[in-house]
Amino acid sequence: MSAQPSPLSVPTRPHAQKQPTPRTRFFWWYSLSLLFLGPFGFVVGPFMARRATRKAALRYPLEAHAAQARDVGFAWWQWWVMTPLTLMGAFWVFGLFSGLPMLLFVLYAQLTQ
């Protein structure tokens, strides 16, 4: 006589879902991280998009492959959103770096008094 395994111990596959394409995932991570994190979004956005793509490929390998196969590039509206955000982020970085010497000088002057 064999005992049936409990339904809780049987590994189940996560529910299959339609995955976004890698470029769509990159667009959302890049745009939102630039919007909320400023110049740090230049690093955080692509890093998190790559991480999310890897996790999707591990969890849903067939769906991730299908999403990659149907990826044709960025849509025109994604380019229109990413271009001003990238320019704003570049100006943010320029402003940060141009003000950094004065900030360091003021901190030095305050700490040495």
Side-chain angles (χ1 to χ4, degrees):
M1 196 188 311
S2 66
Q4 293 291 334
S6 115
L8 298 177
S9 67
V10 176
T12 59
R13 185 169 181 267
H15 177 13
Q17 59 184 0
K18 184 177 178 184
Q19 292 291 315
T21 63
R23 284 197 177 99
T24 302
R25 191 177 290 115
F26 175 84
F27 165 76
W28 287 110
W29 274 108
Y30 181 73
S31 299
L32 292 175
S33 64
L34 266 179
L35 198 61
F36 290 119
L37 300 176
F40 302 110
F42 285 122
V43 175
V44 173
F47 175 75
M48 292 302 291
R50 191 177 309 124
R51 182 176 180 265
T53 301
R54 275 196 318 262
K55 285 180 77 170
L58 288 174
R59 287 188 181 159
Y60 308 101
L62 297 176
E63 293 84 358
H65 182 69
Q68 189 173 9
R70 72 172 186 273
D71 192 5
V72 293
F74 291 113
W76 64 269
W77 62 271
Q78 290 173 324
W79 283 112
W80 277 100
V81 169
M82 284 192 298
T83 301
L85 284 175
T86 302
L87 290 174
M88 285 178 9
F91 285 129
W92 224 97
V93 169
F94 179 73
L96 184 71
F97 285 151
S98 66
L100 191 61
M102 182 57 72
L103 175 70
L104 293 174
F105 176 72
V106 169
L107 285 174
Y108 172 76
Q110 291 293 324
L111 292 173
T112 57
Q113 277 184 351

